[in-house]
Each structure stands twice: as C-alpha cells, then as structure tokens.
Amino acid sequence: MAPSRLSSANFGSDGGDFLTAVLTNGVPHPTGYPIYLLLSELCQKIPFGTPVWRQAQASILPAGICAVLFYSTLRFFPFSGNKLACSLTTLCLTVSTLFWSQAVIVEVYALHALFLSLALFWIAAILSQPDETIRKHLTGFCAIAFVGGLGIGNHTSILLMYPAILYASWVFYKKSHSTASAVTAFAGWFSGLIPYIIIPLRAADLPAVSWGDARSWSGFLWLVSGGDYHDYLFAILPHEYLQRIISFCGMLTDNFGYIGLISGMIGVLTFQQNRKFHRITVYVFFAYTIMAVGYKTTDSLVYSLPAMVCFAIWIFWGLLYLWHYTKWSLNIGIVMSIALAISLVWTVPTRYAQVDPRSGDLAHYAETTLSGAKPGEILYPKSDGETFALWYYQYALGMRREIVIVSRGLLTYEWYREQLERNYPQFDLNSGFNNF
C-alpha cells in the first residue's frame, strides 16, 4: 500500500516538506526531526522505487517493529489464553484506522509510536519482573534506554512519557541496587538530544529549505522548541472542546469497533495484576488525549496515537478479565475474542479503503501547476500541502526552476524571505512582499 506519489491522504500533507529536506540535505519544519531525517536517508538508499515510496518505508518499517514490541509488552501479563489474546490485540492495534493510516505515509508518527512502545515495554519489564531478573539484565535495560531516548530526536511530544520513565527509573534503582545503572539508564533516555547537532550542520550548507535558519542560536532554538506551533496548544475556543471530545470518542469506536471499545473499558476498570503499570497507561492515555483535543490544528487527533496504543493494551486486559468467566458453558473471553476477530476481519476492506494513501492528489497538483505556469511566473499556493508539494517537485526533482514559489503564511519570517532571495536571485521579490 506504500504510495509512489505525493498525497494528502491520512493527514500526510507535510510529506513534501520532509521529502524536500531529505533529498536536498535541508531542514524541515519545527522541530527539525533529526532522527527521522537520518532514518529517511537510509531509506532513500533503497535501490528501487520512487523517492516517495522509499520515504514511506521510514513509516512502514517502524510500524512493524512497533507491533512486535506491543506484542512483547502484552506477554508480561500472562494468563491461559495469553498467546491468542496477544496476537488478536496486536492485530486490533495494527489495523486500527489511525495506526494503519500513519504506517503507510510520509510522516513521523509511526516512528513516534515505535519509540513510545519501546518506552512502555521498558517500563512494563521493570515493573513486572523480579529483582533477580532485573539484576541479571542491567546492560540490556540500559541499552534499551539509550535506544528509546532517541525518540526525543523524532517527536518531542515523547517528553510526555518522561514522568512515567522517571518513576520506572526509580523502581529500576530499587530493584537493581545499582545507582550507576539507574543513573545510566535514565541518562540514556536523553540520547535523542545528541542528533540535533545535525540541524545547524545541514543549515550551514544553505539548502533550498531550511526552516528557522538554524545557523544561529536563535534560529536553532526557535526550530527545536517548536517554532510558533506551541501557540496552537490549547488555543481552541471553549465551545470547541466538547466537539473535539465527541470526535475523539467517535475515533475510538472507528479504530476498535464497539466490541473493542467494550473490552477496553472493561480492561481499564478491572485490571489488578500490575496496578503501577495500569496507572501509567491511564496517565499516558489522558496526557496525549488532552494534548490532541486541545491542539488547534485540523490533524490534531493524530497526536492521540499513543493514547490508542494504551487503549489497545486495555483491550487485552479486558479479554484477560473475561477469560475467567463462563456462561452457559461458554468461556466469555473466548467468545469476546472470536467476536472481536470477526469484526476486525469484516471491517478490513473498509479500513483499507479509508487509509489507502495512493491518491496522488498533491503530485497531480504540483505537476499540473508547474507544467502550466508561464516562465518566470510567481505562484502563491493556498495551503501547506500545496506549498510542500511544489517544493518537492522544484527543489528536489528540479522541475521548472525558473518558476517562483511563495508561501504567504511564511512571508512574515525573515529567515524565509532570505531563503527566497537565495533560491530565486534573479527576481526582485520586494514587489511581491508589498502585496501583503
């Protein structure tokens, strides 16, 4: 299902910006996403497929690893039907509309889900394993922390996980009886700060796209701190919260179906096997849900992907609880599992159609717009998606370099005006600026 052409499907309008930055050694929009850039450069070395298809592998591969980690996390809560319920719940997550949609497009959220799942795996292992097991695998726990810490270099909203990571680090210290290992592990969760060094290095080459001009400290800090995007947090009007909450509840049903919804609610209300990890999943669910509901963008519900991961864990716990009940000689957990499996299989074709990213609408827009433009014409695309698609075709693929592309929304930034002057030195853009 990986797309071969740019598309806005599944909130993937930023794909053109990411692709342009990867292919021109540039810097994408805040926060710069250095880990995603490094992974993307590896994916672009695949010797076949279009650049868009290769870039989509930076989502597909992490999504697959995320599913394995999710399954492994569930195995920390054993019961008689463990393998069947683990497999079914993992399938429930992977074919959920939100997870599936982000796994097949040019975006950072599948990789974000991978790092979040790794953090949950690490926390679950610490909270569920006996002291002796912890002490035998100190190096492994520290290594996982250093890998998981790279998540900061992908999407900084992973920092919402850090209160839970801090608590798990304290438990790790108590169980391991090793101050050095506990400090090393917690420090490892900040390893993702190191890759940000590539941002000013890339900006120093003056690429065609370099958000914030990170050559200076002020530009670098503006970029990595989120630029002006943090102004969108809780910027919606009071009456909009109710509609957003309703939309979020509807999304839960769309992703897991009514059977999954019921099982998840049973799971979160009844799980007793590991209350500490239970409370952590509740915290993570509501932390990311509140962020998604309160963020003033049209694609804000994508930020709730970590909440969907936690809800899928609750579905597993619900099956665990129901597995111990029988009615009319029927195991309720098995009946619920069969019903959930049937509902998933029944809705896969519909979900497939919903998340299919191969429309190529942005590619069609960029190709027709650039091919139809007059020599020297100045284009003012109407949206970010259109702007980024034009950037990709012109800056990365070299199509119609004599055409000037101006983003109205970015003209207020000095770094962008300087970038325009570098990209189009043959044009006097001051006359264009005076129109705004």
Side-chain angles (χ1 to χ4, degrees), residues 138 230 286 337 341 355 436:
L138 294 179
H230 50 72
F286 282 104
S337 297
V355 304
F436 300 95

Side-chain angles (χ1 to χ4, degrees), residues 49-271:
T50 67
V52 176
W53 184 90
R54 294 194 293 266
Q55 187 67 26
Q57 307 312 305
S59 292
I60 294 173
L61 296 176
I65 300 173
C66 175
V68 173
L69 279 171
F70 179 80
Y71 177 90
S72 301
T73 301
L74 300 182
R75 294 302 301 274
F76 287 122
F77 310 100
F79 71 105
S80 59
N82 185 258
K83 290 185 178 180
L84 173 62
C86 284
S87 300
L88 181 58
T89 310
T90 303
L91 177 64
C92 193
L93 173 65
T94 53
V95 301
S96 63
T97 307
L98 183 58
F99 185 90
W100 194 354
S101 70
Q102 297 307 298
V104 292
I105 64 171
V106 178
E107 254 295 358
V108 300
Y109 296 107
L111 186 58
H112 180 49
L114 167 59
F115 284 119
L116 176 117
S117 295
L118 185 58
L120 288 173
F121 173 85
W122 188 79
I123 294 170
I126 290 174
L127 298 182
S128 63
Q129 298 302 297
D131 296 9
E132 294 77 11
T133 302
I134 299 292
R135 287 195 289 270
K136 288 180 181 178
H137 299 91
L138 294 179
T139 302
F141 279 102
C142 291
I144 292 174
F146 273 88
V147 175
L150 296 176
I152 300 177
N154 177 65
H155 203 288
T156 53
S157 68
I158 194 73
L159 290 171
L160 287 174
M161 281 292 301
Y162 276 59
I165 289 172
L166 176 61
Y167 173 74
S169 298
W170 170 253
V171 176
F172 180 62
Y173 163 71
K174 299 292 286 185
K175 288 189 173 185
S176 67
H177 305 294
S178 172
T179 302
S181 296
V183 171
T184 300
F186 186 67
W189 284 103
F190 293 90
S191 62
L193 296 176
I194 299 174
Y196 279 96
I197 194 173
I198 73 169
I199 298 298
L201 295 178
R202 295 169 76 100
D205 292 334
L206 299 178
V209 174
S210 181
W211 285 69
D213 193 2
R215 293 176 298 169
S216 65
W217 271 110
S218 60
F220 176 75
L221 292 176
W222 178 86
L223 180 80
V224 301
S225 65
D228 292 336
Y229 291 123
H230 50 72
D231 294 337
Y232 297 154
L233 188 59
F234 305 123
I236 63 175
L237 297 175
H239 70 271
E240 295 180 290
Y241 279 96
L242 179 59
Q243 182 58 48
R244 292 259 184 144
I245 292 172
I246 293 173
S247 297
F248 175 78
C249 293
M251 188 176 68
L252 277 176
T253 305
D254 291 340
N255 276 267
F256 301 117
Y258 289 107
I259 297 175
L261 184 66
I262 293 171
S263 181
M265 295 303 297
I266 292 174
V268 71
L269 294 174
T270 63
F271 185 71

Side-chain angles (χ1 to χ4, degrees), residues 13 16-17 20 211 362 365 380-393 395 405-410 416:
S13 297
D17 182 44
T20 304
W211 285 69
L362 290 179
Y365 163 80
Y380 299 99
K382 297 179 180 179
S383 66
D384 288 345
E386 292 179 353
T387 300
F388 300 154
L390 292 174
W391 284 0
Y392 168 64
Y393 272 85
Y395 299 151
I405 302 168
V406 179
S407 170
R408 289 185 173 94
L410 296 178
Y416 178 67

